[in-house]
Amino acid sequence: MIDADLAIVGSGFGGSIMAMIARRLGLRVTLLERGQHPRFAIGESASPLAGILIEQLADRYDLPRVRPLSAFGTWQRTYPQVGCGLKRGFTYFKHESGQRYRATPDRSNQLLVAASPSDELSDTHWLRRDVDHFLVNEAIALGVDYIDLAQLEGIEWRANGEPLLVGNRQGQPLRLHAGFVIDASGPRGFLGRTLGIADRGFDGYPPTQALFSHFTEVARCEDVEDFRPRVPGSELPYPMDDAALHHVFDGGWMWVLRFGNGVTSAGIAVEDWLADDLKLADGEPAWRRFLSRYPSVASQFANARPIRSFTWMPSLAYRAAAAVGDRWAMLPSAAAFIDPLFSTGIPLTLLGIERLSRTFDEGGISPGKNRLEDYGAATLADADRTAGFIAGSYAGFREFPRLAAYSMFYFAAASFSEMARRLDSPRTPRGFLCGDSPAFVAALEALSPARRPAVHDSLPDTLGVAAAVAPWNIAGLCDPRKRNWYPVNLNDTINGADKLGLTPDAVRAGLASTASSSPSALV
């Protein structure tokens, strides 16, 4: 029998970081993994909010070896052997079936939003087989007990109410007594199955499926004639491929994420009606059918070669009916999954780790019912709000100007949240998508393309969103003069100092003293 204060099921990045923090809090931790590292995992694109959360968690809980993962420059200098990719921003192109992509003169069928002023400070794509393996080893080095090939069969409850995990490892019985269990095993994971927790789904969310793989020899957009800027002298906010690249079409979208080792993660997430039309369950033949409909995307993948079997996910979205209970909790990645769109998975998980860590830090391994219920409510509220936003984005795929306008809710909230944390603003949001602001949440719901009838004139949506996000817009968003290209200019943040509850001088000084600043960005 193994004894631990805390058992964590699932050794992806979330489980491993949670395990390290728990060790720093003085807990005896056992981390369990069904498979073995290194192994493939999806969920690969970080964000500015993820970067500052990594910094703050590393600083608060004395994890200096984790901190370099917060930005591309420090990552490359410190851990060049751990695979990642450069992510300068978010790139979107709207495609029409059977037609080659051509940028409109007003750029109304594309959107480029920068997330950093330089490669040094850039966000990253995570090659999860490398990142998860690295973090597991870091957890072990801090004294976490690690058990792989653990086939858990269930939970027995001892007389004092504490859980006993039972299963086997390579044919030998495995019994682990713990004071508390955290599920970090992903959606439809261990606790959901073992405790019979229902999948309640998301209200008003379209059923979706996904098909994806890893590839080599994927062409860059700059090398495909169709995607090149057509106005002489146009200066891109960043190289369009050094980003989370989105090809958008009616009924779904495609992601293209480049790692530094020549591998590219690519996949499609589509509504059920389109999945049925493509026969997505067929795997690679369905992928070829998809490419045949979108000739510009097909040109990008003309020489691409999959290096692993295609994975088909027949149901993407998941939302557990409960995220906590007596002596157990789920990380956000186990409590819910929505969609890779807008790279929400990693920051949501890190927000959950921050909350749960504070719960243990302040209340110990038995934090009390109220603390746990607060954590569970915040976790599921973030998931519900994100699902509503993603549902609205899917509805906007058919009329791209509406999607571009609606996306400003995400970019305003993400940039405000990151900068507020960096500058220690008294107005720092603690809920994802500014969830602690009733005004923001109400506008996010009211202006969703999923709730409003389709219109051919997107101007009312554009003006409505601009007005709604104005109190949080410190990134120069919603400016029609920029024609859907948004570079980083930290003067926008300085000029929005009052929105952060700070003075311009305080913002300027804060930017100069943090790793988020760049001299070339301050004019």
Side-chain angles (χ1 to χ4, degrees):
M1 175 109 72
I2 303 169
D3 265 314
D5 297 318
L6 177 64
I8 300 176
V9 182
S11 65
F13 78 91
S16 293
I17 292 175
M18 188 72 237
M20 284 186 269
I21 291 172
R23 280 296 299 143
R24 288 303 198 204
L25 294 176
L27 301 177
R28 296 173 302 149
V29 184
T30 298
L31 181 62
L32 300 113
E33 167 62 37
R34 179 176 58 183
Q36 281 187 307
H37 288 282
R39 44 97 171 114
F40 175 82
I42 199 70
E44 301 155 317
S45 193
S47 70
L49 180 56
I52 185 60
L53 281 165
I54 289 172
E55 288 183 25
Q56 292 182 337
L57 288 169
D59 291 346
R60 186 177 301 132
Y61 298 106
D62 188 23
L63 301 172
R65 288 181 54 80
V66 174
R67 201 180 197 277
L69 302 183
S70 63
F72 182 79
T74 53
W75 185 324
Q76 290 298 289
R77 286 192 300 277
T78 313
Y79 305 120
Q81 77 282 6
V82 180
C84 79
L86 180 65
K87 181 183 178 182
R88 289 287 307 278
F90 295 75
T91 300
Y92 303 80
F93 296 112
K94 172 60 193 298
H95 296 263
E96 304 296 338
S97 182
Q99 301 178 27
R100 303 199 75 86
Y101 176 83
R102 290 290 185 272
T104 59
D106 60 357
R107 301 199 288 257
S108 60
N109 62 349
Q110 63 179 263
L111 175 66
L112 278 72
V113 182
S116 61
S118 67
D119 290 1
E120 171 69 18
L121 306 173
S122 177
D123 302 325
T124 50
H125 305 306
W126 296 7
L127 185 58
R128 287 285 304 277
R129 63 176 286 121
D130 284 5
V131 177
D132 291 358
H133 193 195
F134 168 78
L135 291 171
V136 164
N137 286 329
E138 291 298 306
I140 293 169
L142 288 182
V144 172
D145 293 326
Y146 175 61
I147 302 174
D148 63 5
L149 300 175
Q151 303 299 313
L152 296 180
E153 298 162 2
I155 297 178
E156 297 175 1
W157 301 96
R158 296 168 67 114
N160 62 359
E162 292 183 346
L164 177 68
L165 279 61
V166 296
N168 71 86
R169 184 181 189 274
Q170 295 184 303
Q172 298 299 312
L174 175 63
R175 296 172 68 83
L176 170 59
H177 164 245
F180 199 93
V181 178
I182 294 176
D183 190 348
S185 62
R188 304 175 181 88
F190 170 67
L191 284 179
R193 296 192 307 270
T194 301
L195 302 180
I197 298 171
D199 175 3
R200 70 169 297 278
F202 296 104
D203 297 336
Y205 192 85
T208 55
Q209 303 178 31
L211 182 68
F212 52 85
S213 187
H214 279 181
F215 300 81
T216 57
E217 304 302 326
V218 177
R220 293 178 65 88
C221 287
E222 63 195 34
D223 296 325
V224 178
E225 175 68 23
D226 300 354
F227 297 112
R228 294 174 187 160
R230 300 193 174 277
V231 178
S234 297
E235 184 175 351
L236 290 161
Y238 54 84
M240 63 183 74
D241 290 270
D242 295 339
L245 173 61
H246 305 69
H247 294 301
V248 174
F249 44 89
D250 293 358
W253 68 287
M254 177 187 200
W255 69 84
V256 183
L257 311 176
R258 296 179 179 275
F259 305 114
N261 62 354
V263 173
T264 298
S265 172
I268 56 175
V270 299
E271 295 184 48
D272 275 4
W273 64 266
L274 183 53
D276 292 342
D277 192 30
L278 291 169
K279 299 181 176 61
L280 217 61
D282 291 350
E284 188 166 0
W287 182 263
R288 292 196 296 267
R289 283 191 286 270
F290 165 77
L291 292 179
S292 72
R293 298 185 181 194
Y294 298 100
S296 297
V297 181
S299 294
Q300 185 178 20
F301 280 79
N303 298 316
R305 180 175 63 87
I307 59 174
R308 63 180 306 276
S309 299
F310 280 80
T311 298
W312 170 53
M313 293 182 66
S315 178
L316 267 182
Y318 167 81
R319 199 272 203 187
V324 297
D326 187 20
R327 299 182 184 275
W328 63 265
M330 297 179 181
L331 287 188
S333 54
F337 182 80
I338 301 103
D339 194 277
L341 190 63
F342 291 98
S343 307
T344 62
I346 291 176
L348 279 170
T349 295
L350 292 169
L351 276 172
I353 291 171
E354 179 184 60
R355 290 177 182 138
L356 200 52
S357 299
R358 285 190 182 275
T359 297
F360 288 141
D361 196 2
E362 296 168 2
I365 198 64
S366 300
K369 182 178 179 181
N370 290 341
R371 286 180 181 273
L372 278 180
E373 287 181 347
D374 288 347
Y375 165 79
T379 295
L380 294 178
D382 277 352
D384 290 339
R385 192 179 316 110
T386 303
F389 171 70
I390 299 298
S393 300
Y394 266 82
F397 285 162
R398 292 183 179 277
E399 294 182 81
F400 189 78
R402 300 189 75 199
L403 171 67
Y406 191 59
S407 74
M408 295 296 108
F409 278 106
Y410 170 81
F411 292 116
S415 56
F416 186 91
S417 296
E418 182 225 354
M419 201 57 70
R421 282 175 174 267
R422 290 197 179 280
L423 301 174
D424 196 23
S425 163
R427 299 178 184 172
T428 300
R430 296 300 170 186
F432 194 65
L433 286 173
C434 294
D436 36 8
S437 168
F440 190 98
V441 173
L444 183 71
E445 295 175 353
L447 292 171
S448 170
R451 296 186 58 179
R452 293 161 60 84
V455 293
H456 293 293
D457 181 4
S458 63
L459 185 61
D461 277 354
T462 302
L463 295 178
V465 171
V469 304
W472 296 270
N473 184 3
I474 59 168
L477 303 168
C478 303
D479 185 345
R481 295 170 298 179
K482 296 180 179 179
R483 294 186 297 148
N484 283 353
W485 284 7
Y486 292 98
V488 168
N489 185 340
L490 295 180
N491 289 295
D492 291 324
T493 305
I494 296 169
N495 293 334
D498 61 315
K499 300 176 185 179
L500 292 160
L502 302 169
T503 66
D505 285 346
V507 171
R508 191 176 288 107
L511 292 174
S513 65
T514 69
S516 69
S517 65
S518 169
S520 63
L522 293 167
V523 296

